[in-house]
Amino acid sequence: MGEMSNFQLGVIGALFLSVASSVSIVICNKALMSNLGFPFATTLTSWHLMVTFCTLHAAQRLNLFVSKSVDLKTVMLFGILNGISIGFLNLSLGFNSIGFYQMTKLAIIPFTVLLETIFLKKQFSSKIKLSLSLLLVGVGIASITDLQLNFVGTILSLLAIITTCVGQILTNTIQKKLNVSSTQLLYQSAPFQAAILFVSGPLVDQMLTKQNVFAYKYSPVVLAFIILSCLIAVSVNFSTFLVIGKTSPVTYQVLGHLKTCLVLGFGYTLLHDPFTGRNILGILIAVFGMGLYSYFCTEENKKKQLASDLPLASQVKDKDSLPLLAGKNVGNQNEENHETKKLSKDSVI
């Protein structure tokens, strides 16, 4: 029970770190891009990952964690896939309306459920599916304002959904199958993610913004916000791997939609973004769906824990009872042998 309590505390800590850091970086990046006019999101992400790797490398040299080597091909493909998924998400945002982009993000949850059901044989109860449906409806009401479709944008959105789902499923699977921690996996894969985005980022950003990141005039304020964004990103990247490793890709996506609701609320409170009754209704439905999802997951985990504890309890019970029976049988056999010897002796006499 002590290990279970520590695990739950670890999960709560990971969830809190993920929410706090993600909301912080959204607010920071919104100020950087909207207010200061720095539109190069993909290139900025590559800088995030480079700073994350450098930070983890320093932590590893200081013996704050132990690096564990993972198959180079696996890590390379995993890192490149995650880097490509970020690029596709940014392209999807660039080629689609905000509403369709939000639909793309909403589609990640059902697609992840589908992939895990087909390929990993994972079962999702009807209660979990109901709570996820409520969550998606709520976030949709709160965040989707328009749906403008175009062929290129739709293809990019489909590619973004597929690569994001596969990347997050692999994040969970690699940690469990290869027995590596979130820190170890992030340390090994971050250079490959950073490399693919460092090469493709300026091209993607120029395609979307018609501006060159290397020709941009960097003021001291912009540089300060870039540095702050990179520092927060270390926590974001670490907590992402931590949450997916400790929970599941679906839970991480649910957490992502909680962040969306919080960002809408903070945007209204701090940045005075427009806020309507529709936003409030959607957020309330989404929060209710999240509450149900959390409750049903907790109940199912308790049932699984009880089911796994029962065989252990029966084994302990059998272990406790077997020596007594065995001792009794041995005692009876000794007594019978003693009696047999005694009879034989008497017959000889």
Side-chain angles (χ1 to χ4, degrees):
M1 290 298 290
E3 290 182 1
M4 189 65 183
S5 298
N6 290 336
F7 176 77
Q8 289 175 344
L9 286 174
V11 170
I12 292 170
L15 296 175
F16 177 79
L17 178 63
S18 180
V19 171
S21 58
S22 295
V23 172
S24 299
I25 202 169
V26 167
I27 294 172
C28 177
N29 287 349
K30 186 164 185 178
L32 179 61
M33 295 178 185
S34 299
N35 300 339
L36 299 175
F38 183 85
F40 310 107
T42 311
T43 304
L44 180 63
T45 305
S46 71
W47 297 344
H48 288 170
L49 287 162
M50 282 190 284
V51 172
T52 298
F53 172 72
C54 292
T55 303
L56 290 177
H57 185 67
Q60 190 262 335
R61 294 299 296 269
L62 293 171
N63 296 320
L64 296 179
F65 76 96
V66 178
S67 176
K68 184 175 181 180
S69 60
V70 184
D71 176 59
L72 182 61
K73 185 179 178 181
T74 300
V75 173
M76 185 183 297
L77 291 174
F78 170 72
I80 292 173
L81 176 66
N82 276 333
I84 290 172
S85 73
I86 294 169
F88 277 137
L89 281 170
N90 287 340
L91 284 171
S92 174
L93 177 59
F95 279 86
N96 291 303
S97 64
I98 297 295
F100 193 81
Y101 175 72
Q102 287 296 337
M103 282 291 293
T104 300
K105 292 174 69 177
L106 291 177
I108 292 174
I109 283 184
F111 199 80
T112 302
V113 170
L114 178 65
L115 288 180
E116 289 195 310
T117 302
I118 294 173
F119 294 104
L120 300 181
K121 309 301 179 186
K122 189 173 180 179
Q123 299 297 319
F124 294 88
S125 67
S126 56
K127 292 179 179 179
I128 293 292
K129 292 176 182 176
L130 172 64
S131 62
L132 290 175
S133 300
L134 281 173
L135 164 66
L136 296 177
V137 168
V139 175
I141 292 172
S143 61
I144 296 175
T145 54
D146 61 328
L147 283 176
Q148 298 174 11
L149 303 180
N150 66 82
F151 180 74
V152 175
T154 302
I155 296 299
L156 289 171
S157 291
L158 287 173
L159 291 172
I161 291 168
I162 293 169
T163 52
T164 301
C165 291
V166 174
Q168 290 180 359
I169 290 171
L170 285 177
T171 301
N172 179 268
T173 304
I174 290 174
Q175 288 186 56
K176 290 180 178 177
K177 290 289 178 67
L178 301 183
N179 195 28
V180 294
S181 69
S182 55
T183 309
Q184 291 167 334
L185 180 58
L186 180 59
Y187 178 61
Q188 294 288 336
S189 62
F192 299 105
Q193 295 184 59
I196 190 71
L197 289 175
F198 189 74
V199 172
S200 62
L203 299 174
V204 171
D205 289 333
Q206 188 160 10
M207 187 188 304
L208 295 175
T209 65
K210 310 302 180 187
Q211 298 181 54
N212 190 335
V213 66
F214 300 110
Y216 182 84
K217 294 182 179 179
Y218 294 86
S219 67
V221 177
V222 169
L223 287 173
F225 268 89
I226 289 173
I227 292 170
L228 178 61
S229 179
C230 289
L231 293 175
I232 299 173
V234 175
S235 178
V236 173
N237 291 325
F238 172 72
S239 62
T240 296
F241 278 61
L242 189 62
V243 169
I244 295 175
K246 283 186 173 293
T247 56
S248 70
V250 173
T251 299
Y252 175 72
Q253 284 299 322
V254 170
L255 191 68
H257 293 306
L258 170 61
K259 298 170 195 172
T260 300
C261 294
L262 290 174
V263 167
L264 286 172
F266 279 117
Y268 172 72
T269 306
L270 300 178
L271 304 176
H272 305 292
D273 290 341
F275 210 62
T276 65
R278 176 179 171 175
N279 296 131
I280 297 172
L281 175 63
I283 289 174
L284 289 175
I285 294 173
V287 169
F288 180 66
M290 290 174 206
L292 286 179
Y293 177 79
S294 177
Y295 174 75
F296 291 144
C297 282
T298 303
E299 290 298 309
E300 290 186 9
N301 286 335
K302 284 181 181 178
K303 289 179 181 178
K304 288 178 183 177
Q305 186 67 28
L306 287 172
S308 62
D309 285 346
L310 283 175
L312 292 174
S314 62
Q315 287 176 12
V316 171
K317 187 175 179 181
D318 292 342
K319 189 176 179 181
D320 290 340
S321 58
L322 276 173
L324 294 175
L325 294 173
K328 186 176 179 182
N329 290 335
V330 170
N332 290 338
Q333 288 175 6
N334 287 337
E335 289 177 8
E336 289 173 1
N337 290 338
H338 180 72
E339 290 296 327
T340 303
K341 287 180 182 179
K342 185 177 179 181
L343 289 171
S344 299
K345 187 177 179 181
D346 291 341
S347 62
V348 170
I349 293 173

